[in-house]
């Protein structure tokens, strides 16, 4: 997936908006102020940070070299994925969907 495709997919989810805290080095996407995903603009390979269930994040980090902790965010709740082909496009889409669901779950639990 290209950076553009990743950004379009993230932004296509209901309630997801670009965050005011975004910079030229970090495009942040949030739902009601809760960070869901970050994209590192211009990175090669494409690098995305996604909110993730801690147990799933640990499993993914063990399984794939291209999955690591996302620096600068809650390391327990966020993973970083380098799009180098270890995860298929469908697996990346699934992780983006999971990030959306996790962020909404957090918002629902907090209400």
């Amino acid at each position: 997936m290209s950076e553009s495709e990743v950004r379009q997919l993230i932004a296509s989810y209901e309630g997801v908006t670009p965050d005011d805290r975004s910079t030229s080095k970090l495009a942040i996407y949030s739902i009601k102020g809760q960070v869901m995903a970050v994209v590192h603009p211009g990175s090669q390979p494409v690098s995305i940070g996604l909110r993730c269930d801690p147990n799933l994040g640990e499993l993914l980090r063990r399984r794939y070299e291209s999955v690591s902790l996302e620096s600068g965010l809650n390391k327990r709740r966020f993973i970083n994925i380098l799009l180098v082909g270890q995860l298929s496009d469908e697996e990346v889409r699934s992780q983006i969907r999971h990030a959306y669901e996790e962020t909404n779950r957090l918002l629902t639990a907090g209400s």
Side-chain angles (χ1 to χ4, degrees):
M1 293 181 81
S2 70
E3 178 184 327
S4 175
E5 291 170 320
V6 167
R7 292 176 88 154
Q8 287 175 4
L9 178 59
I10 292 169
S12 73
Y13 283 96
E14 182 179 345
V16 175
T17 58
D19 194 291
D20 292 341
R21 297 169 284 184
S22 295
T23 67
S24 62
K25 296 183 180 185
L26 199 63
I28 303 171
Y29 295 87
S30 299
I31 304 170
K32 296 182 182 176
Q34 287 292 325
V35 176
M36 174 196 141
V38 296
V39 178
H40 301 269
S43 64
Q44 289 300 322
V46 175
S47 175
I48 58 174
L50 298 170
R51 185 176 293 278
C52 187
D53 171 79
N55 295 322
L56 176 60
E58 184 177 337
L59 176 71
L60 292 169
R61 287 191 306 274
R62 288 182 182 182
R63 184 174 293 166
Y64 301 105
E65 290 179 11
S66 60
V67 178
S68 62
L69 299 172
E70 174 61 40
S71 63
L73 294 172
N74 182 329
K75 290 177 178 27
R76 189 165 182 269
R77 296 274 177 199
F78 283 85
I79 59 171
N80 180 272
I81 302 174
L82 294 176
L83 303 187
V84 294
Q86 281 191 321
L87 281 80
S88 69
D89 286 356
E90 188 52 42
E91 289 171 311
V92 173
R93 285 184 193 95
S94 176
Q95 290 309 310
I96 292 171
R97 183 173 40 255
H98 173 72
Y100 177 75
E101 291 167 353
E102 279 292 295
T103 306
N104 274 316
R105 185 185 60 74
L106 174 69
L107 289 166
T108 303
S111 349

